[in-house]
Amino acid sequence: MKSSFRQERIHFWDLREEPVSGEHPGSGFWLDRKQERMARELASTRTVVIGPAGSGKTVFLVARAEYWLVRHPEARVLFTCYNASLAAYLRKLFAARGIAADDARLTVRHYHDLCGRFLGLSDIHEQPPDFYAALEPRLLRELSLRDDVVGYDCVLVDEGQDFTRRMIEVLVRWNAPGGEITMVCDPAQDVYGRWHRDNVGPLRDPEFEHLVDCYRNTAQIFGLAMDVLPLEIRREWGLTRLEMTRPEDLDRQGPSPSLERLSGLDDLADRIVDVARELSGLRVPLSDLAVLYTDRRAILDFDTLLLASDWEAASDPRFQESAENEEVLEREVVSGTLHTGSDRDDAVPLERAHFAGALERELKRRGLPAEWVSRDFASKSSFDVSRARLSLSTIHSAKGMDFHTVILVGAESLPVRAGRSREKAEALLFTGITRARERLIIPYFQNVGWVPELRERLAER
């Protein structure tokens, strides 16, 4: 028989005289018994931890970093990820626990930031795709030629499914002889289409650990997320394990996700403002509300909807160009900052404006503090989860984080045809849905794309 949630989860061991206190993200730092055991002792210096969304992978990694810093006073620890906003969140998390990411003992930076610093490049985030295709060979060549590189004793990798084999090879070279590399992954969140089990080959026969308990979401939200994934994917990544503790086992119940058809953009802004007011009445901070979207074309026929609205941006000439302009779309594809398959918010600024900028502007006009986290690299890298404002972000940039309530935009724009495009849509939806802890709202304007499938799944539940 499974133990109750309160019996099974224990507070992270006290590394200071006073316990951790304060608001999100520093408080509520809990590990279950397996996470605590793993944070204290791993069977191998090369470990890959696979677990579903909400299973505490990031919490485990933070605990592992803290263990190293306390038990090995001279050690250098690197905590890295692919996502710039997640790196900013992690620095805030460590600061809330009284640990400074000082780039001496503890370095907390996203992968391309590390690459740029090593190579002495200040403009690594505004380069064409060919630059990134040649980046890892360049790094490996530099690492082989230089004898002054001081490696990290412990390398911790969050969201490991975002890393290619060559990226992992670079991290291995940054690891000090005899040091540790521990990586956590959720292949179901492979939104970039990079993950393959062979990616971890440079780790040389790593040990695999599995986290099988989901603590984040309510049963209703987690159930919908599972329904989005095909059965074969759930089986492949251990999401059908009999020993897996699901939210219903922990009595994590909440309202069913709501799929809401809206008649126009004014309804969307009204709905977001209403949700923010409801959460304020429940004393939920505004920073725990996020509007997440799939990509810059998440709202179909946005230009037409905008002209029919009372939004301030309706008079902005940058929105008058057709969203189907092939030349504009092609420029967006080839000018992504980190790679051509990114969420494209890192792209070199274009003449045509982004719907998220218009939404941010409209929410502020209505008196709701909002920040477009995915506007560009600078906004991602300065992300502060404790700031009292709504977060407006791509799903990609919200990976590794969660919110009390998520308003998920773009289901209508995702492809449903079989093949790689559908697989990426499934990964995006799964990731977006599981960012919500308590409440999930999915607004749409047209009954197309994934909307009918989501309605069918919600009806079945």
Side-chain angles (χ1 to χ4, degrees), residues 189-337:
Q189 296 186 61
D190 180 22
V191 298
Y192 299 116
R194 295 175 177 168
W195 174 257
H196 192 282
R197 199 177 183 92
D198 289 345
N199 285 6
V200 301
L203 299 182
R204 302 288 181 89
D205 297 321
E207 292 288 332
F208 282 83
E209 292 271 10
H210 292 268
L211 295 175
V212 295
D213 302 330
C214 177
Y215 297 116
R216 175 189 297 155
N217 317 109
T218 63
Q220 290 77 9
I221 291 172
F222 190 72
L224 179 62
M226 290 293 103
D227 286 346
V228 163
L229 298 176
L231 179 59
E232 59 268 23
I233 294 296
R234 282 179 273 158
R235 286 173 174 165
E236 182 179 3
W237 301 121
L239 298 177
T240 58
R241 289 170 176 263
L242 292 177
E243 70 270 27
M244 181 177 179
T245 301
R246 293 167 174 78
E248 53 266 33
D249 301 319
L250 311 173
D251 199 27
R252 286 278 287 118
Q253 301 294 330
S256 295
S258 58
L259 189 63
E260 303 178 5
R261 183 160 193 166
L262 305 178
S263 61
L265 294 180
D266 291 314
D267 287 348
L268 176 62
D270 289 342
R271 188 69 178 106
I272 295 171
V273 171
D274 287 345
V275 170
R277 287 173 179 162
E278 292 171 18
L279 294 181
S280 177
L282 297 172
R283 306 188 74 176
V284 174
L286 188 56
S287 59
D288 225 358
L289 169 62
V291 177
L292 304 182
Y293 60 93
T294 53
D295 55 36
R296 67 180 299 125
R297 287 171 284 174
I299 299 179
L300 299 178
D301 300 324
F302 176 74
D303 299 50
T304 302
L305 290 171
L306 182 63
L307 288 175
S309 76
D310 291 329
W311 280 23
E312 186 176 72
S315 60
D316 190 330
R318 293 178 301 162
F319 288 99
Q320 303 311 311
E321 297 183 30
S322 170
E324 300 303 319
N325 186 306
E326 293 300 327
E327 181 180 355
V328 171
L329 295 181
E330 180 64 22
R331 288 171 62 196
E332 291 174 2
V333 169
V334 302
S335 62
T337 297

Side-chain angles (χ1 to χ4, degrees), residues 105-154:
R105 293 204 60 214
L106 174 64
T107 298
V108 181
R109 296 193 177 276
H110 68 93
Y111 174 78
H112 283 94
D113 192 4
L114 289 168
C115 297
R117 287 171 176 268
F118 179 77
L119 295 173
L121 301 175
S122 59
D123 57 349
I124 195 168
H125 307 292
E126 296 293 343
Q127 300 292 338
D130 287 348
F131 172 87
Y132 300 102
L135 182 59
E136 276 70 45
R138 179 179 177 181
L139 284 162
L140 291 168
R141 184 170 58 253
E142 288 285 332
L143 284 164
S144 67
L145 293 175
R146 289 172 52 174
D147 56 7
D148 60 343
V149 178
V150 179
Y152 296 95
D153 301 284
C154 178

Side-chain angles (χ1 to χ4, degrees), residues 25-44:
S27 60
F29 193 76
W30 300 81
L31 299 175
D32 64 25
R33 298 190 184 281
K34 181 173 184 178
Q35 292 164 351
E36 186 193 24
R37 186 267 299 167
M38 289 167 54
R40 289 183 183 274
E41 182 178 3
L42 290 171
S44 172

